[in-house]
Amino acid sequence: MLRKGIVLFLFALIILVTVLSWLWKSHAKAKLPLPTRGAAAGRSAQGSSSPTATISLATSASPIPTREVQEQAFISAFRTPIAFYGKVVDQHNAAIAEADVKLSANDKPLGGRPTEYILKSDQNGFFGIEGIVGLNLSVQVSKPGFKVIPRASAATTSSGLFEYNVSAASTRPPHSPDKTNPVLFMLHRPGVSETLVKVGERNFRIARNGSPLRIPLASQGGEPHEVVLRCWNKDSERSTGARQYDWRFEISVPQGGLVARSNDFAFEAPPDGYASSDIVDMPGSLPPDQWHGFARRSYFIRFNDGIFARVNVEMRAAGDHFVAWESYLNPKPQSRNLEYSPEQQAGDASHN
Protein backbone atom coordinates (compact mmCIF):
# COMPACT_ATOMS: atom_id res chain seq x y z
CA MET A 1 0.00 0.00 0.00
CA LEU A 2 2.76 2.43 0.94
CA ARG A 3 4.68 1.54 -2.18
CA LYS A 4 1.67 2.23 -4.36
CA GLY A 5 1.29 5.73 -2.76
CA ILE A 6 4.93 6.55 -3.45
CA VAL A 7 4.53 5.58 -7.11
CA LEU A 8 1.45 7.81 -7.50
CA PHE A 9 3.28 10.73 -5.85
CA LEU A 10 6.24 10.40 -8.22
CA PHE A 11 3.95 10.18 -11.22
CA ALA A 12 2.13 13.39 -10.17
CA LEU A 13 5.44 15.16 -9.60
CA ILE A 14 6.64 14.23 -13.12
CA ILE A 15 3.42 15.63 -14.64
CA LEU A 16 3.78 18.92 -12.65
CA VAL A 17 7.39 19.39 -13.76
CA THR A 18 6.43 18.74 -17.37
CA VAL A 19 3.63 21.31 -17.30
CA LEU A 20 5.82 23.97 -15.65
CA SER A 21 8.57 23.39 -18.22
CA TRP A 22 6.10 23.79 -21.08
CA LEU A 23 4.72 27.02 -19.60
CA TRP A 24 8.21 28.49 -19.17
CA LYS A 25 9.19 27.73 -22.77
CA SER A 26 5.94 29.27 -24.10
CA HIS A 27 6.54 32.45 -22.09
CA ALA A 28 10.12 32.74 -23.33
CA LYS A 29 9.01 32.41 -26.95
CA ALA A 30 6.38 35.12 -26.49
CA LYS A 31 9.12 37.59 -25.34
CA LEU A 32 11.38 37.02 -28.35
CA PRO A 33 11.68 40.27 -30.44
CA LEU A 34 10.17 40.06 -33.89
CA PRO A 35 12.20 41.29 -36.90
CA THR A 36 11.26 44.84 -37.99
CA ARG A 37 11.09 46.29 -41.49
CA GLY A 38 14.32 48.11 -40.84
CA ALA A 39 16.00 44.88 -39.81
CA ALA A 40 14.71 43.01 -42.87
CA ALA A 41 16.02 45.77 -45.14
CA GLY A 42 19.39 45.61 -43.45
CA ARG A 43 19.66 41.92 -43.94
CA SER A 44 18.75 42.19 -47.61
CA ALA A 45 21.47 44.77 -48.19
CA GLN A 46 24.01 42.51 -46.47
CA GLY A 47 22.86 39.31 -48.18
CA SER A 48 21.91 37.60 -44.87
CA SER A 49 19.02 35.12 -44.61
CA SER A 50 19.14 34.47 -40.84
CA PRO A 51 15.54 34.62 -39.48
CA THR A 52 16.71 35.67 -36.00
CA ALA A 53 18.79 38.76 -36.96
CA THR A 54 17.45 41.95 -35.26
CA ILE A 55 18.44 45.64 -34.91
CA SER A 56 18.11 47.34 -31.53
CA LEU A 57 15.83 50.43 -31.75
CA ALA A 58 17.73 52.04 -28.88
CA THR A 59 20.82 52.44 -31.06
CA SER A 60 18.94 54.06 -33.99
CA ALA A 61 17.78 57.21 -32.08
CA SER A 62 19.70 60.02 -30.34
CA PRO A 63 19.90 59.50 -26.60
CA ILE A 64 17.62 61.78 -24.57
CA PRO A 65 19.66 64.01 -22.23
CA THR A 66 19.12 63.24 -18.61
CA ARG A 67 17.68 65.86 -16.28
CA GLU A 68 21.11 66.35 -14.76
CA VAL A 69 22.65 67.02 -18.19
CA GLN A 70 19.89 69.52 -19.01
CA GLU A 71 20.41 71.35 -15.73
CA GLN A 72 24.15 71.58 -16.31
CA ALA A 73 23.60 72.98 -19.82
CA PHE A 74 21.20 75.58 -18.41
CA ILE A 75 23.68 76.67 -15.74
CA SER A 76 26.54 76.76 -18.26
CA ALA A 77 24.59 79.22 -20.44
CA PHE A 78 24.81 81.76 -17.62
CA ARG A 79 28.59 81.33 -17.60
CA THR A 80 29.03 82.54 -21.18
CA PRO A 81 32.06 84.90 -21.39
CA ILE A 82 31.17 88.56 -21.91
CA ALA A 83 33.19 91.42 -23.37
CA PHE A 84 31.58 94.73 -24.32
CA TYR A 85 32.75 98.04 -25.79
CA GLY A 86 30.67 101.23 -26.10
CA LYS A 87 30.85 104.96 -26.71
CA VAL A 88 28.67 107.77 -25.36
CA VAL A 89 27.82 110.68 -27.69
CA ASP A 90 25.35 113.55 -27.84
CA GLN A 91 22.77 114.28 -30.57
CA HIS A 92 25.52 115.91 -32.66
CA ASN A 93 27.76 112.80 -32.31
CA ALA A 94 30.19 114.67 -30.05
CA ALA A 95 31.83 112.46 -27.41
CA ILE A 96 30.60 112.76 -23.82
CA ALA A 97 33.29 112.23 -21.17
CA GLU A 98 32.63 111.15 -17.57
CA ALA A 99 29.21 109.68 -18.41
CA ASP A 100 27.85 107.19 -15.89
CA VAL A 101 27.61 103.66 -17.29
CA LYS A 102 25.68 100.91 -15.48
CA LEU A 103 26.05 97.36 -16.76
CA SER A 104 23.95 94.45 -15.47
CA ALA A 105 25.08 90.90 -16.32
CA ASN A 106 22.40 88.21 -16.16
CA ASP A 107 24.61 85.63 -14.40
CA LYS A 108 22.27 84.10 -11.79
CA PRO A 109 20.75 80.87 -13.17
CA LEU A 110 19.05 80.06 -9.86
CA GLY A 111 17.52 83.50 -9.34
CA GLY A 112 18.76 86.67 -7.70
CA ARG A 113 19.70 90.11 -8.94
CA PRO A 114 22.11 90.37 -11.87
CA THR A 115 25.64 91.46 -11.05
CA GLU A 116 26.06 95.21 -11.64
CA TYR A 117 29.18 97.01 -12.79
CA ILE A 118 29.60 100.82 -12.68
CA LEU A 119 31.94 102.54 -15.14
CA LYS A 120 32.74 106.02 -16.48
CA SER A 121 33.32 106.94 -20.10
CA ASP A 122 36.78 108.31 -20.86
CA GLN A 123 37.65 111.63 -22.50
CA ASN A 124 36.69 110.21 -25.90
CA GLY A 125 33.40 108.81 -24.64
CA PHE A 126 34.66 105.20 -24.69
CA PHE A 127 34.07 102.50 -22.08
CA GLY A 128 34.53 98.74 -22.01
CA ILE A 129 34.44 95.64 -19.84
CA GLU A 130 35.99 92.17 -20.14
CA GLY A 131 36.31 89.00 -18.09
CA ILE A 132 32.71 88.76 -16.85
CA VAL A 133 30.03 86.16 -17.62
CA GLY A 134 26.29 86.03 -18.21
CA LEU A 135 23.42 85.11 -20.49
CA ASN A 136 22.99 88.75 -21.59
CA LEU A 137 24.12 92.25 -20.67
CA SER A 138 22.01 95.35 -20.03
CA VAL A 139 23.68 98.74 -20.57
CA GLN A 140 22.40 102.16 -19.43
CA VAL A 141 24.20 105.50 -19.73
CA SER A 142 23.41 108.84 -18.08
CA LYS A 143 24.99 112.09 -16.97
CA PRO A 144 23.72 115.02 -14.88
CA GLY A 145 22.56 117.87 -17.12
CA PHE A 146 21.82 115.55 -20.07
CA LYS A 147 18.49 113.98 -21.04
CA VAL A 148 18.19 110.21 -21.29
CA ILE A 149 16.72 109.07 -24.62
CA PRO A 150 14.26 106.14 -24.23
CA ARG A 151 14.51 103.17 -26.60
CA ALA A 152 11.28 103.98 -28.44
CA SER A 153 12.26 107.61 -29.16
CA ALA A 154 15.11 107.28 -31.67
CA ALA A 155 17.37 104.83 -33.49
CA THR A 156 20.29 105.52 -31.12
CA THR A 157 19.26 105.75 -27.48
CA SER A 158 20.68 105.70 -23.94
CA SER A 159 20.32 101.97 -23.22
CA GLY A 160 20.38 98.51 -24.77
CA LEU A 161 20.16 94.77 -24.09
CA PHE A 162 22.77 92.49 -25.67
CA GLU A 163 22.47 88.69 -25.92
CA TYR A 164 25.54 86.47 -25.54
CA ASN A 165 23.92 83.01 -25.46
CA VAL A 166 20.95 82.59 -27.80
CA SER A 167 18.76 79.57 -28.45
CA ALA A 168 18.72 77.66 -31.72
CA ALA A 169 15.31 79.19 -32.49
CA SER A 170 16.61 82.77 -32.23
CA THR A 171 16.67 84.83 -35.43
CA ARG A 172 19.52 87.02 -34.19
CA PRO A 173 23.14 85.99 -33.61
CA PRO A 174 24.82 86.65 -30.25
CA HIS A 175 26.45 90.03 -29.74
CA SER A 176 29.94 90.25 -31.19
CA PRO A 177 32.12 92.78 -29.31
CA ASP A 178 34.49 94.92 -31.36
CA LYS A 179 36.90 97.47 -29.84
CA THR A 180 37.31 99.21 -33.18
CA ASN A 181 33.54 99.57 -33.68
CA PRO A 182 31.95 100.25 -30.27
CA VAL A 183 28.20 100.39 -29.73
CA LEU A 184 26.92 103.99 -29.68
CA PHE A 185 24.78 105.32 -26.84
CA MET A 186 23.25 108.78 -27.08
CA LEU A 187 22.40 111.41 -24.47
CA HIS A 188 20.62 114.64 -25.38
CA ARG A 189 22.69 117.74 -24.68
CA PRO A 190 20.32 120.63 -23.86
CA GLY A 191 20.56 123.60 -26.19
CA VAL A 192 20.61 127.28 -25.37
CA SER A 193 17.55 128.05 -23.28
CA GLU A 194 14.98 130.38 -24.85
CA THR A 195 11.52 131.27 -23.61
CA LEU A 196 8.84 129.36 -25.53
CA VAL A 197 5.10 129.91 -25.65
CA LYS A 198 3.33 126.70 -24.74
CA VAL A 199 -0.24 125.70 -25.61
CA GLY A 200 -1.57 122.54 -24.00
CA GLU A 201 -1.82 119.85 -23.09
CA ARG A 202 -5.48 120.35 -24.05
CA ASN A 203 -8.38 118.56 -25.73
CA PHE A 204 -10.43 120.35 -28.39
CA ARG A 205 -13.78 119.23 -29.78
CA ILE A 206 -13.77 119.00 -33.56
CA ALA A 207 -16.70 118.66 -35.99
CA ARG A 208 -17.29 115.55 -38.11
CA ASN A 209 -18.25 117.47 -41.26
CA GLY A 210 -14.96 119.22 -42.03
CA SER A 211 -15.73 122.51 -40.27
CA PRO A 212 -12.40 124.15 -39.34
CA LEU A 213 -10.98 124.18 -35.83
CA ARG A 214 -8.52 127.07 -35.50
CA ILE A 215 -5.88 126.85 -32.77
CA PRO A 216 -3.77 129.99 -32.11
CA LEU A 217 -0.21 129.19 -31.03
CA ALA A 218 0.45 132.64 -29.59
CA SER A 219 -1.48 135.76 -28.63
CA GLN A 220 0.95 138.32 -30.07
CA GLY A 221 -0.19 140.81 -32.68
CA GLY A 222 0.94 140.92 -36.30
CA GLU A 223 0.48 137.91 -38.55
CA PRO A 224 -1.72 135.15 -37.11
CA HIS A 225 0.23 132.18 -35.76
CA GLU A 226 -2.49 129.58 -35.99
CA VAL A 227 -3.06 126.06 -37.24
CA VAL A 228 -6.30 124.85 -38.83
CA LEU A 229 -7.63 121.32 -38.23
CA ARG A 230 -10.45 119.56 -40.10
CA CYS A 231 -11.96 116.10 -39.88
CA TRP A 232 -14.45 114.28 -42.10
CA ASN A 233 -15.94 111.30 -40.30
CA LYS A 234 -18.55 108.80 -41.56
CA ASP A 235 -18.83 106.73 -38.40
CA SER A 236 -22.60 107.36 -38.29
CA GLU A 237 -22.99 105.69 -41.71
CA ARG A 238 -21.38 102.37 -40.87
CA SER A 239 -23.54 99.25 -40.87
CA THR A 240 -24.66 97.61 -37.64
CA GLY A 241 -21.83 95.64 -36.04
CA ALA A 242 -19.15 97.12 -38.32
CA ARG A 243 -15.98 98.31 -36.59
CA GLN A 244 -14.41 100.31 -39.45
CA TYR A 245 -15.59 103.41 -41.29
CA ASP A 246 -14.15 106.18 -43.48
CA TRP A 247 -12.50 109.14 -41.80
CA ARG A 248 -9.96 111.74 -42.86
CA PHE A 249 -8.01 114.34 -40.91
CA GLU A 250 -6.20 117.42 -42.23
CA ILE A 251 -3.80 119.82 -40.54
CA SER A 252 -2.80 123.02 -42.37
CA VAL A 253 -0.92 126.26 -41.75
CA PRO A 254 -2.57 129.12 -43.72
CA GLN A 255 0.32 131.56 -43.13
CA GLY A 256 3.17 129.10 -43.38
CA GLY A 257 3.95 125.38 -43.61
CA LEU A 258 4.75 122.22 -41.70
CA VAL A 259 7.12 119.25 -41.88
CA ALA A 260 7.09 115.94 -40.02
CA ARG A 261 9.22 115.79 -36.87
CA SER A 262 11.52 112.76 -36.83
CA ASN A 263 11.52 111.87 -33.12
CA ASP A 264 10.70 113.15 -29.65
CA PHE A 265 14.24 114.47 -29.15
CA ALA A 266 14.40 116.56 -32.30
CA PHE A 267 14.18 120.15 -31.03
CA GLU A 268 15.73 122.20 -33.84
CA ALA A 269 13.37 123.03 -36.68
CA PRO A 270 14.77 122.47 -40.19
CA PRO A 271 15.29 125.57 -42.38
CA ASP A 272 13.24 124.26 -45.32
CA GLY A 273 11.14 121.35 -46.64
CA TYR A 274 7.78 122.69 -45.40
CA ALA A 275 4.40 121.94 -47.01
CA SER A 276 1.15 123.85 -46.52
CA SER A 277 -0.78 120.85 -45.14
CA ASP A 278 -0.75 117.15 -44.28
CA ILE A 279 -3.58 114.59 -44.44
CA VAL A 280 -4.30 111.37 -42.56
CA ASP A 281 -6.62 109.22 -44.68
CA MET A 282 -8.23 106.20 -43.00
CA PRO A 283 -10.77 104.51 -45.34
CA GLY A 284 -12.90 101.77 -43.86
CA SER A 285 -11.78 99.42 -46.64
CA LEU A 286 -8.29 99.07 -45.14
CA PRO A 287 -7.25 95.67 -43.72
CA PRO A 288 -8.17 95.43 -40.01
CA ASP A 289 -4.54 95.54 -38.88
CA GLN A 290 -3.98 98.82 -40.75
CA TRP A 291 -7.12 100.70 -39.77
CA HIS A 292 -7.21 102.74 -36.56
CA GLY A 293 -9.69 105.08 -34.92
CA PHE A 294 -6.92 107.50 -33.97
CA ALA A 295 -3.74 109.03 -35.39
CA ARG A 296 -0.75 110.70 -33.71
CA ARG A 297 1.46 113.19 -35.53
CA SER A 298 4.30 115.55 -34.64
CA TYR A 299 5.37 118.53 -36.79
CA PHE A 300 7.69 121.49 -37.03
CA ILE A 301 5.93 124.65 -38.23
CA ARG A 302 7.38 127.70 -39.95
CA PHE A 303 5.29 130.84 -40.30
CA ASN A 304 5.83 133.37 -43.09
CA ASP A 305 7.22 135.96 -40.67
CA GLY A 306 10.11 133.69 -39.61
CA ILE A 307 8.50 132.33 -36.43
CA PHE A 308 9.00 128.62 -35.74
CA ALA A 309 7.02 126.17 -33.62
CA ARG A 310 6.56 122.47 -32.98
CA VAL A 311 3.28 120.67 -32.31
CA ASN A 312 2.06 117.26 -31.15
CA VAL A 313 -1.47 116.37 -32.24
CA GLU A 314 -3.59 113.26 -31.73
CA MET A 315 -6.89 112.90 -33.58
CA ARG A 316 -9.40 110.66 -31.79
CA ALA A 317 -11.96 109.83 -34.46
CA ALA A 318 -13.50 107.01 -32.40
CA GLY A 319 -15.68 107.74 -29.41
CA ASP A 320 -16.03 111.36 -28.27
CA HIS A 321 -14.30 112.76 -31.39
CA PHE A 322 -11.70 115.23 -30.16
CA VAL A 323 -8.14 116.44 -30.76
CA ALA A 324 -5.39 116.25 -28.11
CA TRP A 325 -3.05 119.19 -28.67
CA GLU A 326 0.33 120.45 -27.45
CA SER A 327 2.50 123.15 -29.05
CA TYR A 328 5.63 125.21 -28.38
CA LEU A 329 6.34 128.46 -30.24
CA ASN A 330 9.56 130.47 -30.17
CA PRO A 331 8.57 134.17 -30.41
CA LYS A 332 12.11 135.15 -31.44
CA PRO A 333 12.15 135.57 -35.27
CA GLN A 334 14.40 133.18 -37.20
CA SER A 335 15.24 131.14 -34.09
CA ARG A 336 14.72 127.43 -34.80
CA ASN A 337 15.48 126.37 -31.23
CA LEU A 338 12.32 124.71 -29.88
CA GLU A 339 13.62 122.94 -26.81
CA TYR A 340 11.37 123.53 -23.83
CA SER A 341 12.77 123.52 -20.29
CA PRO A 342 10.49 122.81 -17.31
CA GLU A 343 12.15 125.74 -15.56
CA GLN A 344 10.37 128.02 -18.05
CA GLN A 345 6.95 127.03 -16.73
CA ALA A 346 6.94 129.69 -14.06
CA GLY A 347 7.44 132.49 -16.57
CA ASP A 348 6.06 131.26 -19.88
CA ALA A 349 2.91 132.54 -21.55
CA SER A 350 1.13 129.22 -21.22
CA HIS A 351 -2.45 128.83 -22.53
CA ASN A 352 -3.92 126.17 -20.23
Side-chain angles (χ1 to χ4, degrees):
M1 186 70 181
L2 179 61
R3 187 172 183 177
K4 184 179 181 179
I6 292 174
V7 171
L8 290 174
F9 173 76
L10 291 174
F11 181 75
L13 183 61
I14 291 171
I15 293 174
L16 178 62
V17 171
T18 302
V19 170
L20 291 175
S21 176
W22 179 82
L23 289 174
W24 181 84
K25 290 180 178 180
S26 298
H27 181 67
K29 286 182 179 181
K31 295 181 66 177
L32 285 175
L34 295 176
T36 63
R37 289 186 180 180
R43 292 195 302 273
S44 174
Q46 297 172 8
S48 172
S49 59
S50 172
T52 59
T54 60
I55 295 178
S56 172
L57 294 178
T59 61
S60 63
S62 299
I64 300 175
T66 65
R67 181 176 179 179
E68 183 178 356
V69 171
Q70 292 175 339
E71 289 178 351
Q72 289 300 320
F74 176 77
I75 293 173
S76 296
F78 287 80
R79 297 291 180 262
T80 303
I82 286 179
F84 187 84
Y85 310 101
K87 182 179 180 180
V88 187
V89 298
D90 65 11
Q91 68 272 30
H92 306 295
N93 287 321
I96 299 178
E98 294 297 311
D100 298 310
V101 182
K102 183 173 79 171
L103 305 102
S104 300
N106 186 5
D107 55 358
K108 300 293 192 302
L110 303 180
R113 294 179 60 85
T115 302
E116 293 187 351
Y117 305 88
I118 305 299
L119 306 176
K120 291 276 190 181
S121 61
D122 65 16
Q123 294 302 309
N124 296 313
F126 289 103
F127 66 89
I129 192 168
E130 300 173 345
I132 64 174
V133 297
L135 195 66
N136 53 50
L137 184 71
S138 172
V139 183
Q140 296 177 312
V141 303
S142 62
K143 186 174 182 178
F146 290 75
K147 293 182 180 179
V148 172
I149 302 177
R151 292 187 191 179
S153 299
T156 306
T157 63
S158 306
S159 62
L161 180 65
F162 304 88
E163 303 287 344
Y164 283 80
N165 190 299
V166 299
S167 67
S170 177
T171 58
R172 295 189 304 173
H175 176 68
S176 179
D178 185 352
K179 273 187 178 182
T180 62
N181 186 28
V183 178
L184 291 182
F185 296 88
M186 187 175 291
L187 294 172
H188 181 79
R189 188 190 300 271
V192 178
S193 178
E194 294 187 22
T195 301
L196 304 182
V197 180
K198 179 183 176 182
V199 176
E201 304 164 348
R202 293 182 60 184
N203 295 335
F204 295 91
R205 293 287 184 180
I206 185 170
R208 286 174 162 82
N209 61 2
S211 297
L213 168 65
R214 300 178 183 276
I215 301 179
L217 274 59
S219 58
Q220 287 92 338
E223 290 194 36
H225 301 111
E226 67 178 15
V227 174
V228 178
L229 309 178
R230 291 183 174 89
C231 186
W232 294 264
N233 194 332
K234 295 184 178 180
D235 57 347
S236 61
E237 300 178 16
R238 60 180 161 173
S239 57
T240 304
R243 170 180 172 267
Q244 298 181 193
Y245 47 87
D246 296 345
W247 69 273
R248 183 162 58 94
F249 174 70
E250 179 189 69
I251 176 170
S252 62
V253 185
Q255 302 296 324
L258 52 81
V259 64
R261 187 166 168 244
S262 59
N263 63 69
D264 292 340
F265 282 81
F267 294 112
E268 184 177 27
D272 49 35
Y274 294 81
S276 60
S277 65
D278 190 31
I279 293 177
V280 175
D281 195 11
M282 199 70 64
S285 58
L286 284 175
D289 61 337
Q290 298 179 22
W291 187 93
H292 302 284
F294 68 92
R296 298 186 185 96
R297 295 292 187 270
S298 185
Y299 301 97
F300 286 113
I301 292 177
R302 182 184 64 185
F303 292 100
N304 293 339
D305 59 356
I307 296 295
F308 289 85
R310 63 178 171 91
V311 305
N312 299 317
V313 58
E314 180 176 331
M315 177 64 219
R316 285 281 176 177
D320 292 336
H321 207 263
F322 65 91
V323 169
W325 180 269
E326 182 181 47
S327 64
Y328 300 87
L329 179 143
N330 190 331
K332 182 179 178 181
Q334 307 305 326
S335 176
R336 296 184 286 119
N337 179 13
L338 295 166
E339 187 164 357
Y340 182 76
S341 172
E343 289 74 16
Q344 298 175 0
Q345 292 182 8
D348 68 6
S350 179
H351 298 262
N352 289 305

